[in-house]
Amino acid sequence: MTALTLSTSGAAALRADAIVVGVAKGAGSKSGDLVIAPGAEAVDKAFDGKLASVLKTLGASGGEGEVTKLPAPSGLKSPVVLAVGLGTAPEKDDAYSAESLRRAAGAAARALSGFKKAGFALPVEAVEDAAAVAEGALLGAYSFTAYQGGEKDGKGEKPAGNGPKQPLAEIAVLGGKPRDKAFKAAAERALALTEEINRARDLVNTPPNDLYPESFAAVAAAAGKEHGLKVQVLDEKSLIKGGYGGILGVGQGSEHGPRLVKLAYTHPKAEKTLAFVGKGITYDSGGISLKPAGHNETMKCDMAGAAAVFAAVITAARLGLKVNVTGWLALAENMPSGSAVRPGDVLRMYSGKTVEVLNTDAEGRLVLGDALTRASEERPDAIVDVATLTGAMVLALGNRTFAVMGNDESFRTAIHEIAEEAGEQSWPMPMPAELRKGMESSTADIANMGERMGGGLVAGLFLQEFVGDDIAWAHLDIAGPAFNDGGPFGYTPKGGTGSAIRTLVALAEHTAAGDLG
């Protein structure tokens, strides 16, 4: 686990393996120039004021996430200087945005894998700046190496140095004030938040032969108990007794039985209660409606919504937020077999509503339907579900933006604004009433499929059917940003990303502060 400290040391005096500075593209009258960002003055002085020209000679442009390493001159205690691009420099008197600092710190931390300690001398003027640098660096330092390490020797041990580089071990944020209560609280929040995001990333990246409903439930239950949460795990017998036909139907084709996990964090002074519901399909083959070749390899990520909910509830507990937060993890493995649900089958959901299954690969909405009804029974002030739900939403919004739908326009708008504030790209989407007609069934109350066009919106309309009356609800379709199968960028690694966790935590914080009605 990467350590985090706030340092009052100057960039020149800090003893570390590397010192990170920011550079940017000049704007306005300085267009075309390479600008050294605030925080790097001492480093620039050690280069006799020529750091920008040296970097430009090496090809640096200041572009976002661009990394340039160079040996440090004699005036610095750190042997390596790493310059990271911040994008275009802000206008005079403006500051670099929190997100630009997060991304730069993340890119720098990833480039320093294998290093023991690095000082981050990026522009830090306010508490928010220090928090952004800390978050970005801690997220960027992440790597998933649990299944790597090389072959064992004759003694059954893995030789030292025979595996991948370890993440940057210690991050020192320069400009931070370790004795200032606000800075200290920001650092503690950043550490708790990023540790839980990285734990969620680990879960998403874990192969499905090791992460299945029972093992996921065990991880969640152990973490919940560690942090003083009330934990309830419904196994197959309990699900059958309770009539959870959606979760049971999706999971009946697998040797690994489904689970519904409830994690409840309560605060004695809380005045509001939030319910988070996560889709947890630990592997999605599509079931009898089997996915085509080339679409199966990353389907271990179909539980990213449940991982996000799990991480958000644990983070709320670690931060001691004055709000009650209940997480519902709807866990199943969607497999084809002789016992699998078939197209044409009718399932009776926990709500009592019947669903005709027209496509077994539209399974996420079935497990979420049961969990949404169960969450609604407790009458929370608001419900947010998170799911890698539809490929249609990836086509609509791409790989970095999640959709926000809901039954309350003001709540949907609040979620969108909170996501943007937290540094997560989102976009509000409509729920056109006319699309409901496409899910009409001559056999059951509703079908799990509707019109092909606008499929992501159809899925949202289906989920709305299972939300209790007069409860504000939002649906986050994170199918695009939940898993990055391309190259890493900023603080985003290859593989599981931890999408929507920062949004959920920020929502809990705003609710605790009374910012939401």
Side-chain angles (χ1 to χ4, degrees), residues 26 47 50 61 73 97 108-109 114 176 188-189 251 266 314 341 399 502 504:
F47 278 90
K50 298 178 180 178
S61 69
S97 71
E188 291 173 349
R189 179 191 184 276
T266 58
I314 298 296
V341 67
N399 291 318
R502 285 180 288 158
L504 295 180

Side-chain angles (χ1 to χ4, degrees), residues 57-79:
T57 299
L58 293 173
S61 69
E64 185 179 285
E66 178 187 75
V67 170
T68 307
K69 289 181 185 176
L70 61 163
S74 58
L76 302 181
K77 295 290 178 66
S78 299

Side-chain angles (χ1 to χ4, degrees), residues 135-147:
E135 283 181 27
L138 289 165
L139 292 173
Y142 171 83
S143 65
F144 185 67
T145 60
Y147 292 81

Side-chain angles (χ1 to χ4, degrees), residues 227-284:
H227 294 286
L229 308 187
K230 184 177 180 181
V231 180
Q232 181 183 19
V233 179
L234 300 184
D235 60 12
E236 287 169 284
K237 290 183 179 180
S238 299
L239 292 170
I240 292 170
K241 184 177 180 180
Y244 293 85
I247 296 174
L248 286 165
V250 173
Q252 70 187 44
S254 173
E255 293 183 359
H256 298 296
R259 297 288 186 272
L260 178 62
V261 180
K262 175 186 178 182
L263 298 168
Y265 161 69
T266 58
H267 190 285
K269 295 182 180 180
E271 296 179 356
K272 298 283 186 178
T273 298
L274 297 173
F276 297 154
V277 178
K279 173 188 173 184
I281 305 299
T282 56
Y283 181 75
D284 182 20

